[in-house]
PDB file of all heavy atoms in Angstrom:
ATOM      1  N   LEU S 123      25.503 -15.361  24.493  1.00 95.00           N
ATOM      2  CA  LEU S 123      25.096 -14.812  23.207  1.00 95.00           C
ATOM      3  C   LEU S 123      25.583 -15.729  22.081  1.00 95.00           C
ATOM      4  O   LEU S 123      26.761 -16.109  22.047  1.00 95.00           O
ATOM      5  CB  LEU S 123      25.687 -13.413  23.006  1.00 95.00           C
ATOM      6  CG  LEU S 123      25.406 -12.372  24.088  1.00 95.00           C
ATOM      7  CD1 LEU S 123      26.026 -11.040  23.691  1.00 95.00           C
ATOM      8  CD2 LEU S 123      23.928 -12.235  24.339  1.00 95.00           C
ATOM      9  N   ALA S 124      24.693 -16.064  21.164  1.00 96.00           N
ATOM     10  CA  ALA S 124      25.059 -16.854  19.987  1.00 96.00           C
ATOM     11  C   ALA S 124      25.437 -15.902  18.857  1.00 96.00           C
ATOM     12  O   ALA S 124      24.658 -15.023  18.481  1.00 96.00           O
ATOM     13  CB  ALA S 124      23.896 -17.741  19.563  1.00 96.00           C
ATOM     14  N   LEU S 125      26.651 -16.096  18.312  1.00 97.00           N
ATOM     15  CA  LEU S 125      27.187 -15.205  17.278  1.00 97.00           C
ATOM     16  C   LEU S 125      27.740 -16.054  16.131  1.00 97.00           C
ATOM     17  O   LEU S 125      28.904 -16.465  16.171  1.00 97.00           O
ATOM     18  CB  LEU S 125      28.307 -14.330  17.854  1.00 97.00           C
ATOM     19  CG  LEU S 125      27.938 -13.483  19.083  1.00 97.00           C
ATOM     20  CD1 LEU S 125      29.186 -12.941  19.738  1.00 97.00           C
ATOM     21  CD2 LEU S 125      27.012 -12.362  18.668  1.00 97.00           C
ATOM     22  N   PRO S 126      26.934 -16.362  15.121  1.00 97.00           N
ATOM     23  CA  PRO S 126      27.464 -17.120  13.985  1.00 97.00           C
ATOM     24  C   PRO S 126      28.690 -16.469  13.360  1.00 97.00           C
ATOM     25  O   PRO S 126      29.543 -17.152  12.797  1.00 97.00           O
ATOM     26  CB  PRO S 126      26.285 -17.148  13.006  1.00 97.00           C
ATOM     27  CG  PRO S 126      25.071 -16.998  13.869  1.00 97.00           C
ATOM     28  CD  PRO S 126      25.496 -16.081  14.971  1.00 97.00           C
ATOM     29  N   ASN S 127      28.764 -15.159  13.466  1.00 95.00           N
ATOM     30  CA  ASN S 127      29.899 -14.415  12.921  1.00 95.00           C
ATOM     31  C   ASN S 127      30.178 -13.223  13.838  1.00 95.00           C
ATOM     32  O   ASN S 127      29.247 -12.590  14.334  1.00 95.00           O
ATOM     33  CB  ASN S 127      29.582 -13.940  11.505  1.00 95.00           C
ATOM     34  CG  ASN S 127      30.698 -13.106  10.901  1.00 95.00           C
ATOM     35  OD1 ASN S 127      30.766 -11.906  11.146  1.00 95.00           O
ATOM     36  ND2 ASN S 127      31.555 -13.716  10.128  1.00 95.00           N
ATOM     37  N   VAL S 128      31.444 -12.928  14.060  1.00 95.00           N
ATOM     38  CA  VAL S 128      31.799 -11.777  14.897  1.00 95.00           C
ATOM     39  C   VAL S 128      32.984 -11.067  14.253  1.00 95.00           C
ATOM     40  O   VAL S 128      33.892 -11.696  13.709  1.00 95.00           O
ATOM     41  CB  VAL S 128      32.129 -12.221  16.344  1.00 95.00           C
ATOM     42  CG1 VAL S 128      33.320 -13.157  16.386  1.00 95.00           C
ATOM     43  CG2 VAL S 128      32.350 -11.013  17.247  1.00 95.00           C
ATOM     44  N   ASP S 129      32.947  -9.728  14.263  1.00 95.00           N
ATOM     45  CA  ASP S 129      34.022  -8.935  13.654  1.00 95.00           C
ATOM     46  C   ASP S 129      34.207  -7.648  14.445  1.00 95.00           C
ATOM     47  O   ASP S 129      33.422  -7.321  15.340  1.00 95.00           O
ATOM     48  CB  ASP S 129      33.707  -8.632  12.188  1.00 95.00           C
ATOM     49  CG  ASP S 129      32.399  -7.891  12.017  1.00 95.00           C
ATOM     50  OD1 ASP S 129      32.356  -6.693  12.350  1.00 95.00           O
ATOM     51  OD2 ASP S 129      31.408  -8.507  11.566  1.00 95.00           O
ATOM     52  N   ALA S 130      35.239  -6.904  14.094  1.00 91.00           N
ATOM     53  CA  ALA S 130      35.600  -5.706  14.850  1.00 91.00           C
ATOM     54  C   ALA S 130      34.738  -4.496  14.511  1.00 91.00           C
ATOM     55  O   ALA S 130      34.884  -3.443  15.133  1.00 91.00           O
ATOM     56  CB  ALA S 130      37.077  -5.371  14.609  1.00 91.00           C
ATOM     57  N   ASP S 131      33.852  -4.606  13.526  1.00 93.00           N
ATOM     58  CA  ASP S 131      33.017  -3.471  13.136  1.00 93.00           C
ATOM     59  C   ASP S 131      31.746  -3.370  13.967  1.00 93.00           C
ATOM     60  O   ASP S 131      30.954  -2.453  13.763  1.00 93.00           O
ATOM     61  CB  ASP S 131      32.634  -3.577  11.658  1.00 93.00           C
ATOM     62  CG  ASP S 131      33.848  -3.446  10.744  1.00 93.00           C
ATOM     63  OD1 ASP S 131      34.817  -2.777  11.159  1.00 93.00           O
ATOM     64  OD2 ASP S 131      33.823  -4.010   9.640  1.00 93.00           O
ATOM     65  N   LYS S 132      31.537  -4.307  14.870  1.00 93.00           N
ATOM     66  CA  LYS S 132      30.320  -4.294  15.690  1.00 93.00           C
ATOM     67  C   LYS S 132      30.683  -4.232  17.161  1.00 93.00           C
ATOM     68  O   LYS S 132      31.788  -4.604  17.563  1.00 93.00           O
ATOM     69  CB  LYS S 132      29.464  -5.529  15.412  1.00 93.00           C
ATOM     70  CG  LYS S 132      29.018  -5.664  13.966  1.00 93.00           C
ATOM     71  CD  LYS S 132      28.114  -6.863  13.788  1.00 93.00           C
ATOM     72  CE  LYS S 132      27.773  -7.053  12.316  1.00 93.00           C
ATOM     73  NZ  LYS S 132      28.939  -7.509  11.535  1.00 93.00           N
ATOM     74  N   ALA S 133      29.723  -3.763  17.952  1.00 94.00           N
ATOM     75  CA  ALA S 133      29.917  -3.671  19.395  1.00 94.00           C
ATOM     76  C   ALA S 133      28.707  -4.260  20.102  1.00 94.00           C
ATOM     77  O   ALA S 133      27.597  -4.263  19.560  1.00 94.00           O
ATOM     78  CB  ALA S 133      30.127  -2.222  19.823  1.00 94.00           C
ATOM     79  N   PHE S 134      28.941  -4.750  21.311  1.00 94.00           N
ATOM     80  CA  PHE S 134      27.867  -5.272  22.153  1.00 94.00           C
ATOM     81  C   PHE S 134      27.812  -4.428  23.414  1.00 94.00           C
ATOM     82  O   PHE S 134      28.848  -4.051  23.970  1.00 94.00           O
ATOM     83  CB  PHE S 134      28.111  -6.738  22.507  1.00 94.00           C
ATOM     84  CG  PHE S 134      28.351  -7.603  21.312  1.00 94.00           C
ATOM     85  CD1 PHE S 134      29.634  -7.938  20.917  1.00 94.00           C
ATOM     86  CD2 PHE S 134      27.288  -8.068  20.556  1.00 94.00           C
ATOM     87  CE1 PHE S 134      29.865  -8.711  19.800  1.00 94.00           C
ATOM     88  CE2 PHE S 134      27.509  -8.847  19.429  1.00 94.00           C
ATOM     89  CZ  PHE S 134      28.790  -9.171  19.050  1.00 94.00           C
TER      90      PHE S 134
END
Side-chain angles (χ1 to χ4, degrees):
L123 305 182
L125 304 166
N127 177 276
V128 62
D129 58 73
D131 294 332
K132 301 183 185 70
F134 307 98

